[in-house]
Amino acid sequence: MKNLIVKTLAFIIFSAFIYSCNNNAEWKANAFRTKNGWGYSISKSGKIYIKQSSIPAVSEIKSFKSEEDALKVAHLVAEKIAKNVPPTITENELKLLNINIR
């Protein structure tokens, strides 16, 4: 009986370790070409969770003018997700990042 308890506890600890290793995968930000500019995607462990082909927080549907602009916003979104903060972007954040929205 004692042996069974030890094996069960070892299995639980091992399972928790494996789960925590998989859960610590980093969020990755990538830029991609769109028809009229650039967009970004946010992925983790090879699975895309966000694919944004237009500039968020802007009333018009526009792509980013440059890959660099798309990646600036993508990195901010990935950082927010990693901190368990809603990944919304405001117009003020776009201004702070010097994103060209015109």
Side-chain angles (χ1 to χ4, degrees), residues 5 24 30 44 46-47 56-60 70 84 88 92 98 101:
I5 293 172
N24 287 335
N30 295 299
K44 183 176 181 179
K47 181 178 178 184
V58 177
S59 58
E60 297 176 56
N84 290 323
T88 56
N92 190 49
N98 294 316
I101 58 174

Side-chain angles (χ1 to χ4, degrees), residues 13-24:
I13 292 170
F14 177 75
S15 298
F17 174 76
I18 295 298
Y19 177 77
S20 69
C21 286
N22 288 337
N23 235 14
N24 287 335

Side-chain angles (χ1 to χ4, degrees), residues 37-51:
W38 292 87
Y40 68 84
S41 63
I42 307 297
S43 61
K44 183 176 181 179
S45 301
K47 181 178 178 184
I48 295 175
Y49 287 88
I50 296 174
K51 186 171 184 180

Side-chain angles (χ1 to χ4, degrees), residues 31-76:
F32 61 86
R33 282 296 263 156
T34 65
K35 186 176 181 179
N36 299 314
W38 292 87
Y40 68 84
S41 63
I42 307 297
S43 61
K44 183 176 181 179
S45 301
K47 181 178 178 184
I48 295 175
Y49 287 88
I50 296 174
K51 186 171 184 180
Q52 184 75 35
S53 57
S54 60
I55 302 173
V58 177
S59 58
E60 297 176 56
I61 298 175
K62 292 181 171 182
S63 293
F64 291 94
K65 301 257 187 250
S66 69
E67 180 181 19
E68 180 183 4
D69 281 356
L71 285 173
K72 283 183 198 176
V73 175
H75 287 297
L76 178 58

Side-chain angles (χ1 to χ4, degrees), residues 77-92:
V77 170
E79 184 179 310
K80 286 183 172 190
I81 294 170
K83 292 178 179 177
N84 290 323
V85 175
T88 56
I89 297 296
T90 65
E91 195 170 335
N92 190 49

